[in-house]
Amino acid sequence: MTLERPNLSIDGLMAELMALAQISEAEPPVVTRVVFGEADMRARAYVKGLCTEAGLTVREDAIGNTFARWDGSDPTLAPIGTGSHIDAIPNAGLYDGCVGVLGGLEAIRVLKKLGFKPRRSIELVIFTAEEPTRFGIGCLGSRMMANVLTPEQALALRDKEGRGLEEWRAQAGFAGPLESVAVPNGRFYQFVELHIEQGPYLEQEGLDVGLVTHIAAPASQRIVIEGEGGHAGGKLMPGRKDALAAAAELILALESAAKSTGAIDTVGTVGICDVFPGAVNSVPSRVLITTDVRDIDGARRDRVLAALADTGNDVSARRGVKITTELINADPPTTCDPAILAALEESAVAAGKTYRKMVARAYHDSSFVSCIAPVAMLFIPCRGGVSHRPDEYASPKWIGRGVHVLSRTLAHLAE
Ligand code: HGY
Ligand code: MN
Ligand code: MN
């Protein structure tokens, strides 16, 4: 299909991205939008309104995964999916996830304007809770669609205040059996997610888009270290069981293990460190840390987890502290589909865009959609590779090029 694209402006899309960014729990330009919170619900309503205006049929599943469908001429065929997430971690930017949702919508609008008629339906998806902020696990919506997270496991999830998924989704107005969220294999014929790179390479190399061949394997843990509290003055150093000093050894051990695999693809992060009682003059008796370890190579990642466990055993024995480790998730890496990558490459060439193949170091909903359909991802540059910060930025030019390649690819796959 020749998609001679008139010089369609993306001013509308940029305005929508900026409008969505105003819907935040924090003062703009900071974006915070935690799943099922008031801002998340307003953001969902805003995007659903845009989808309806675009003539798409919108429906939501029992936990709020949202599907906006452009019916194809052959409804018996499984649809082509695209989409991402609009929830955002605290102190985030406005492009992570949202470029894939609003950019996916724009790609559909462009095809409609060009008079394209899809044979396969095209479905834009807004996944619930791609970010782990509320329940501690990422990709809640896509995991449940793929049944990687079962309804029983989902029911056991709690937020910091002990509130569970049932309470939150009911408050958000989502109902229906959790079993209904899982979808059969082949629910999508193919799935393509547009996303900012969340890394520096495309900008550094002056390339327009990235074709993602693999998505890193994420693993996260909750580790509680229990020692002995006491008066910071009266409790002498010999025999102390300082939970935070023990945690510090674990944190440095994680960093050292991730650095020493010899591979740049191995990353390890401790993003949360809750100290109890958290008083300046009291020896910490209990500390919660979370670990986030990723690698393109799952076995290499697991070796980092094993090294951390060994250090934990040593620290526990030496310092007389109790260390309890709960594995939250340890997912395999994702291999993207060669046929979709070929379509992306053909579209990039046809659109006259420069590109490279690359890996995704963040995880994405595509990681779990890959359990029920072939997937691939299309990256656009983001300034300095910065993400998960308010200064996250992708230029209108970068976004427009991504939407252009995505629209061509969707047409290619759906015709
Ligand atoms: O953490 C991630 O990789 C994603 O941004 N949630
Ligand atoms: Mn993110
Ligand atoms: Mn994201």
Side-chain angles (χ1 to χ4, degrees):
M1 174 215 180
T2 54
L3 192 69
E4 287 326 309
R5 174 184 156 79
N7 57 344
L8 289 172
S9 140
I10 63 156
D11 294 351
L13 168 57
M14 294 314 293
E16 288 161 0
L17 276 167
M18 297 309 135
L20 183 54
Q22 300 304 312
I23 306 176
S24 169
E25 295 166 36
E27 264 311 292
V30 177
V31 179
T32 300
R33 227 174 5 241
V34 184
V35 69
F36 298 143
E38 182 274 335
D40 179 37
M41 300 318 292
R42 272 191 299 132
R44 288 166 177 268
Y46 174 65
V47 176
K48 283 188 293 181
L50 295 177
C51 292
T52 307
E53 272 166 40
L56 306 182
T57 314
V58 179
R59 70 168 192 84
E60 295 160 316
D61 72 11
I63 58 164
N65 287 312
T66 303
F67 307 89
R69 189 183 183 99
W70 178 15
D71 283 332
S73 56
D74 186 345
T76 64
L77 297 174
I80 301 299
T82 189
S84 192
H85 62 98
I86 59 172
D87 64 315
I89 69 167
N91 198 50
L94 67 93
Y95 300 91
D96 174 6
C98 300
V99 160
V101 172
L102 293 178
L105 174 60
E106 178 65 10
I108 289 170
R109 288 185 300 214
V110 164
L111 292 178
K112 279 176 169 257
K113 272 183 203 144
L114 292 171
F116 175 73
K117 296 277 180 266
R119 185 165 66 93
R120 287 184 181 279
S121 300
I122 297 177
E123 208 160 29
L124 176 71
V125 188
I126 308 167
F127 294 97
T128 280
E130 191 273 351
E131 298 293 4
T133 313
R134 174 87 62 207
F135 297 112
I137 189 165
C139 296
L140 173 67
S142 47
R143 279 178 195 273
M144 289 191 72
M145 281 175 64
N147 209 30
V148 167
L149 187 79
T150 64
E152 296 69 36
Q153 291 167 322
L155 284 172
L157 295 174
R158 292 289 176 277
D159 70 3
K160 270 201 216 172
E161 284 73 46
R163 295 181 68 193
L165 174 62
E166 282 306 78
E167 195 182 331
W168 274 107
R169 77 177 176 116
Q171 177 187 305
F174 299 119
L178 289 182
E179 289 70 16
S180 65
V181 175
V183 300
N185 210 355
R187 164 70 175 75
F188 298 105
Y189 182 68
Q190 292 163 312
F191 186 88
V192 195
E193 179 172 3
L194 174 66
H195 205 285
I196 56 171
E197 179 193 343
Q198 296 175 308
Y201 299 109
L202 291 177
E203 182 190 34
Q204 276 173 1
E205 297 168 24
L207 296 171
D208 295 329
V209 293
L211 313 185
V212 175
T213 57
H214 297 85
I215 307 172
S220 52
Q221 302 166 306
R222 222 175 258 112
I223 301 180
V224 175
I225 301 102
E226 293 168 285
E228 218 166 80
H231 193 291
K235 189 104 180 138
L236 302 180
M237 296 313 283
R240 268 195 184 191
K241 296 179 179 178
D242 183 328
L244 185 52
E249 283 204 56
L250 290 181
I251 294 167
L252 290 174
L254 176 60
E255 182 187 52
S256 155
K259 280 181 168 176
S260 53
T261 65
I264 193 67
D265 294 322
T266 319
V267 288
T269 311
V270 172
I272 294 176
C273 181
D274 288 342
V275 180
F276 181 83
V280 64
N281 56 352
S282 177
V283 177
S285 58
R286 193 177 72 249
V287 171
L288 161 75
I289 60 173
T290 60
T291 70
D292 177 317
V293 182
R294 312 182 191 199
D295 198 319
I296 284 300
D297 177 326
R300 196 166 53 205
R301 176 205 62 196
D302 291 346
R303 288 198 290 275
V304 171
L305 294 175
L308 183 65
D310 290 347
T311 304
N313 294 332
D314 168 50
V315 166
S316 172
R318 207 165 13 88
R319 289 177 171 271
V321 295
K322 184 178 171 220
I323 297 177
T324 312
T325 299
E326 176 201 354
L327 182 67
I328 299 168
N329 66 288
D331 303 293
T334 300
T335 301
C336 292
D337 177 69
I340 307 175
L341 283 165
L344 282 165
E345 188 163 15
E346 199 180 306
S347 301
V349 170
K353 302 305 170 215
T354 55
Y355 66 92
R356 62 168 279 185
K357 294 198 174 168
M358 61 198 301
V359 301
R361 301 192 188 285
Y363 60 72
H364 298 278
D365 289 306
S366 290
S367 306
F368 301 96
V369 177
S370 69
C371 303
I372 49 144
V375 305
M377 292 188 73
L378 176 63
F379 275 174
I380 62 167
C382 56
R383 186 178 55 199
V386 164
S387 183
H388 281 192
R389 279 179 12 195
D391 55 336
E392 179 185 87
Y393 176 76
S395 71
K397 207 180 285 173
W398 289 340
I399 294 170
R401 291 169 184 162
V403 169
H404 186 178
V405 174
L406 178 65
S407 59
R408 282 180 175 274
T409 305
L410 292 178
H412 181 116
L413 299 177
E415 67 182 346

